[in-house]
Amino acid sequence: MKKFIYLLIASALFVSSCEEDVVIYDTANGQAIAQIINGAEQTLPVPDTGDTAIIEVGVTTVSDVDRTISVSVDPSSTADPSEYDIDQASLVIPAGSFVGEIRVNANFNAIPETGLTSLVLNLDNVQGADNLEGVLSHKINFFRFCPFTNGANFLGEYQLETQVLGIFNTPTLTDGVVNITQGATVADRQFTVAAYPAFGAFTPFTFSFSLICGEVVVSAVDNINVGCGGANAVGPSSVNVSTYNSGDDSELIINFVDDTRDQCGWGAPEVQIKLTKL
């Protein structure tokens, strides 16, 4: 079975197969083959002003009239419809062109504060196309993000110091040097640290947080590898939301909740740590 790679070059299309034969299509009157031409996936960091993802659809022939593109949302999508808007006016390959751009506008306010959501669009039809071949689905991953400024990146070695104690009036996390690395997206940060140093040497866990447009959003961790009658959990504070300066990564103050399930009977205290860049 032949595998074709389609390249549009000026007014000619060359199709090369694994058998090294070459076919030159008549771009005005030849077979019209359509597909998505800018890959199967992209990730879109969405600032508070919103942003737009572009999906390019190509066809191997040219036409003197606009050709309508038909798409559908795949059931595997996790993004809520409120998170995006498909520009209906963009669902077209303009007259005289081989390529059309589908524009998907992302809504910052509807996207969850942390993590990724995804929209998967299937290419169902291009008006006048004889066949759909090649890449026929495209996945857009959305996440909230406000760019850092002045060279700040919130990465590297930081000195961790406990500011407010946790259960049993002891530190929840071990004071010392931690290495902050990037998580799943450019807004996510994480470091490994051991919990409850006052009670022994325990296996470190990953403490994660996201830097979302001025707020530090702590991720819930269900198992910090030690606890009272089972693994304790930590999570975000609902009363003491941490903030950060996007242009200054020299220090981070992070508030979170220790023992969120109150397994130790200490009332799930509010904890605070300070991270100072070294």
Side-chain angles (χ1 to χ4, degrees), residues 25 57-58 104 135-136 143 230:
Y25 286 106
V57 175
V104 180
V135 179
L136 303 179
F143 70 93

Side-chain angles (χ1 to χ4, degrees), residues 10 52 71 74 85 88 113 125 183 196 220 236 278:
T52 300
V71 297
D74 193 89
D85 171 66
Q88 296 301 305
E113 285 190 347
N125 187 48
Y196 307 139
L278 300 177

